[in-house]
Amino acid sequence: MKPGSGTTTQVVTDETDAERAAEGRVPETAERASDGETGAADGASGVDETEAGPSRRWPRVLAGLLVVVLLAAGGAFYVAGRQLRDTPATSNKALTDSAATTQVAGDVTNALGKVFSYGPGETAATKASAQQLLAGKALQQYAALFGQVEKQAADQKLTLTTHVVRAGVTRLTHDSAHLLVFMDQVYERRGKAASTAAAQLSVTAQLRQGRWTIVEIDAR
């Protein structure tokens, strides 16, 4: 290579760069460097946007899950509360309504005292009371047995007096009641000493026209 040729090449290169600078154009080397920086910046921006997308979605997903959990918990608490309110213990008015409990105990006590008390000449009145105070199975059982009792009362001059010692209401709804009744019955025959016997009955009553009527009696 000639020394002159190397000098000429160097001059031409310098002139070309000078001309580009004069015309306001960036040298190719600078353009390449600028393009490289722009690409790197775009790449970095793409990574940030990709990573930022899921990070912005996570709070919304968690919020949605939280709402679902709260709704499910609220429904569970409602069902549990409803079950507590509807348990047999809370629906038994014998535990919560003292006035209704007193009424049914009083009506049943009065009815038993009348239908299980009679004398030799008073069986007709007792039978009439049973027609008003008993119903259903209780009235049928009473009618079947009272025929024999009526005959014995007349033949033996028998008097029966019944005292209810205690009437406990074990279950009470708005129109039905179950009671456990303890009674003392005094038997008197003419010419003989009176005798006393204890009796225990399981009684079911229904509210009819504002009065509790006995519908079933079982000896215990």
Side-chain angles (χ1 to χ4, degrees):
M1 181 180 293
K2 297 180 180 182
S5 300
T7 304
T8 303
T9 303
Q10 182 65 36
V11 171
V12 171
T13 302
D14 293 343
E15 288 179 354
T16 302
D17 291 340
E19 290 176 357
R20 288 175 180 172
E23 293 177 359
R25 289 181 294 170
V26 180
E28 292 180 1
T29 304
E31 287 180 358
R32 292 191 190 98
S34 176
D35 291 343
E37 292 176 358
T38 302
D42 292 343
S45 175
V47 171
D48 291 342
E49 289 179 357
T50 303
E51 294 178 353
S55 65
R56 286 195 298 267
R57 288 194 296 270
W58 269 111
R60 293 195 294 269
V61 173
L62 291 176
L65 291 175
L66 182 60
V67 170
V68 172
V69 170
L70 290 176
L71 289 175
F77 284 130
Y78 173 80
V79 172
R82 184 62 180 270
Q83 289 176 345
L84 288 175
R85 290 193 298 269
D86 294 341
T87 57
T90 57
S91 62
N92 187 0
K93 294 177 66 176
L95 304 175
T96 58
D97 194 335
S98 58
T101 303
T102 300
Q103 181 187 359
V104 64
D107 287 354
V108 169
T109 296
N110 178 65
L112 292 175
K114 287 184 176 181
V115 300
F116 289 117
S117 296
Y118 52 83
E122 301 173 357
T123 54
T126 301
K127 188 184 297 184
S129 296
Q131 293 290 334
Q132 297 176 355
L133 303 174
L134 305 181
K137 183 179 178 181
L139 182 57
Q140 294 173 3
Q141 293 173 332
Y142 188 88
L145 295 175
F146 194 75
Q148 301 176 9
V149 171
E150 189 173 20
K151 186 176 185 304
Q152 290 177 356
D155 294 343
Q156 302 176 16
K157 307 301 180 182
L158 177 64
T159 299
L160 175 65
T161 305
T162 297
H163 301 283
V164 174
V165 177
R166 183 180 179 184
V169 182
T170 58
R171 178 147 186 90
L172 175 63
T173 65
H174 69 284
D175 63 351
S176 177
H178 184 270
L179 302 89
L180 189 60
V181 181
F182 298 88
M183 305 184 304
D184 283 341
Q185 294 182 304
V186 180
Y187 296 87
E188 295 180 272
R189 289 182 176 86
R190 183 176 297 177
K192 293 184 179 181
S195 61
T196 302
Q200 182 177 342
L201 302 177
S202 177
V203 177
T204 301
Q206 289 183 350
L207 185 62
R208 300 183 177 184
Q209 298 180 348
R211 185 182 65 192
W212 289 94
T213 302
I214 298 174
V215 294
E216 189 170 350
I217 301 175
D218 292 316
R220 297 176 64 90

